[in-house]
Amino acid sequence: MPNSTPIQRVELDDLSFHEGATVLLRRALSRLAMGEWCEVHGDSPELADHLVAWCRKQSLRCQAQQGVPQTFRIEAPGPAPLILTSRTEIAETAQPDWGIAPRGARIERGGPEFGFTLRQKRDVWARELNAIYSQAATNQWAARDISWHQLPKLPADVEAAVAQVMTFLTENEFAALYVPARFIPRIHPHYREVVEVLAMQVVDEARHGEAFTRRAEAGGAGLGTTAISGQLSLKTLLEEPDFTTATFLLCVMGEGTFLTLLKFLADHAPDPVTAALARLAHRDEARHVAFGVEHMRYVFEREPEMRISMASAVERRSQMLASISGLSPYVHDALVVYAGGGLSIAQVRKGARHVADLQREMDRSRRERLQSLGFEPELAANMSAYHTKNFM
Ligand SMILES: [Fe+2]
Ligand SMILES: [Fe+2]
């Protein structure tokens, strides 16, 4: 490695790896070109072991700095290869490798392709879409109950974290919209109440996605990055062919987990607009979860053995996602900064603790919901552990 002055220095003080040190390391490395290196110093006695192990896992070169105790150099891998999409320019053809990422996001290369067949602007586009949408949404909460003018100027790091969280939410909203939408035309109108509930769910998700994107843009940061792991996870949801299984995976497991996430986002929001968005989306999601839970209750009362099928579906999905090691680092790190309020050592430590608590609370509430549906505690615990690490 070169002996020149490091371009980035990371001071970890006594912050350990389980307290969020990786948030600061990833941030420093993301600002370097390939082959540049950063210098890392910290006081934690396990620093050397943890840093070497982490770098090995990420295939990063790491060396102890000769003669300077507790100091290491890490060579940057260079920026992740990303596809950039424009928010405002509408392409004539939507590319398959954009996946389900919202327009305007940065997209990790190499993600899965989805089966969208209407990919030409000519096939679907219309003039005045914004006016038509706003007119339809005038009496809905995103327009009515959010005081957008109250959005303050946040510190840049916090605003970027909010925008990254909004990007993740928007991507998930699209999946939550497409899943019920796929089934609506297959349900006989004799069961009109189900069609009506699902149609409202589709409307809710459209509004959530639009409002979350608007929040990312309102603060000036724009949409962040969508990860392959998140897209893979959502693809398995979109492709589930059975209505009951899809409802279970989406509305009970996924949206159930999102209830905990939205409550967390409301509780820790750095501004009143973001807090209101999370609170109002939570209210809608509670309805979507209620439909999922009540459908499952109806099914299980008649066919108790369907519980086993649902447990296998959760496990099958986790096997399809075996290549994903955990929550996307973009989302994890953004949640840490969001909940901690910034990037100082104390803020990262606080944020990482809140995010670990969030993941425990998600697990607890999934288990509780499953047990309320008659799953034995041990099976409920297994199913919760198998649930995708990307929440939805
Ligand atoms: Fe939603
Ligand atoms: Fe939903």
Side-chain angles (χ1 to χ4, degrees), residues 207-271:
R207 184 179 43 188
H208 297 171
E210 186 265 335
F212 292 143
T213 299
R214 182 164 164 193
R215 171 62 191 87
E217 288 171 347
L223 290 175
T225 307
T226 84
I228 294 175
S229 58
Q231 297 223 31
L232 280 170
S233 181
L234 294 177
K235 187 165 187 266
T236 57
L237 262 189
L238 257 67
E239 290 179 347
E240 173 54 53
D242 175 66
F243 176 67
T244 292
T245 309
T247 301
F248 180 74
L249 292 176
L250 174 71
C251 302
V252 178
M253 300 300 283
E255 292 178 314
T257 303
F258 259 61
L259 282 183
T260 315
L261 175 64
L262 289 165
K263 176 162 190 319
F264 174 93
L265 294 175
D267 290 348
H268 296 285
D271 64 83

Side-chain angles (χ1 to χ4, degrees), residues 57 159 304:
K57 214 169 138 197
E159 182 56 41

Side-chain angles (χ1 to χ4, degrees), residues 173 205 208 285 288:
E173 297 302 341
E205 309 303 13
H208 297 171
E285 291 307 331
H288 308 167

Side-chain angles (χ1 to χ4, degrees), residues 56-114:
R56 192 179 306 129
K57 214 169 138 197
Q58 316 282 320
S59 308
L60 295 170
R61 281 178 60 189
C62 173
Q63 279 179 1
Q65 186 84 293
Q66 292 304 319
V68 196
Q70 294 283 92
T71 305
F72 301 82
R73 303 157 154 205
I74 307 177
E75 191 177 317
L82 296 175
I83 303 167
L84 304 179
T85 58
S86 162
R87 167 81 179 141
T88 47
E89 262 171 58
I90 317 294
E92 290 301 324
T93 303
Q95 299 305 324
D97 63 356
W98 294 349
I100 197 174
R103 188 176 75 228
R106 298 179 289 269
I107 307 161
E108 273 190 343
R109 271 185 203 284
E113 293 189 2
F114 290 68

Side-chain angles (χ1 to χ4, degrees), residues 25-192:
L25 292 172
R26 273 195 287 264
R27 177 181 152 84
L29 290 168
S30 72
R31 300 177 155 213
L32 297 175
M34 192 194 296
E36 292 179 337
W37 54 283
C38 73
E39 189 178 88
V40 181
H41 175 266
D43 303 325
S44 143
E46 314 89 38
L47 175 66
D49 289 350
H50 289 176
L51 190 62
V52 168
W54 183 75
C55 287
R56 192 179 306 129
K57 214 169 138 197
Q58 316 282 320
S59 308
L60 295 170
R61 281 178 60 189
C62 173
Q63 279 179 1
Q65 186 84 293
Q66 292 304 319
V68 196
Q70 294 283 92
T71 305
F72 301 82
R73 303 157 154 205
I74 307 177
E75 191 177 317
L82 296 175
I83 303 167
L84 304 179
T85 58
S86 162
R87 167 81 179 141
T88 47
E89 262 171 58
I90 317 294
E92 290 301 324
T93 303
Q95 299 305 324
D97 63 356
W98 294 349
I100 197 174
R103 188 176 75 228
R106 298 179 289 269
I107 307 161
E108 273 190 343
R109 271 185 203 284
E113 293 189 2
F114 290 68
F116 299 115
T117 50
L118 294 173
R119 292 196 295 106
Q120 307 291 328
K121 188 177 180 186
R122 145 73 186 81
D123 296 339
V124 295
W125 200 250
R127 290 169 68 164
E128 305 299 337
L129 284 168
N130 285 334
I132 296 166
Y133 179 84
S134 338
Q135 208 245 353
T138 308
N139 281 319
Q140 309 237 3
W141 63 246
R144 199 188 53 209
D145 302 336
I146 306 275
S147 307
W148 289 96
H149 63 276
Q150 283 183 2
L151 186 65
K153 184 108 192 103
L154 298 174
D157 290 327
V158 177
E159 182 56 41
V162 173
Q164 177 58 54
V165 170
M166 294 297 132
T167 307
F168 172 72
L169 292 176
T170 302
E171 183 176 60
N172 281 272
E173 297 302 341
F174 267 98
L177 180 161
Y178 283 130
V179 172
R182 280 179 62 215
F183 289 102
I184 289 174
R186 294 172 47 194
I187 302 173
H188 195 286
H190 185 73
Y191 307 112
R192 54 174 282 194

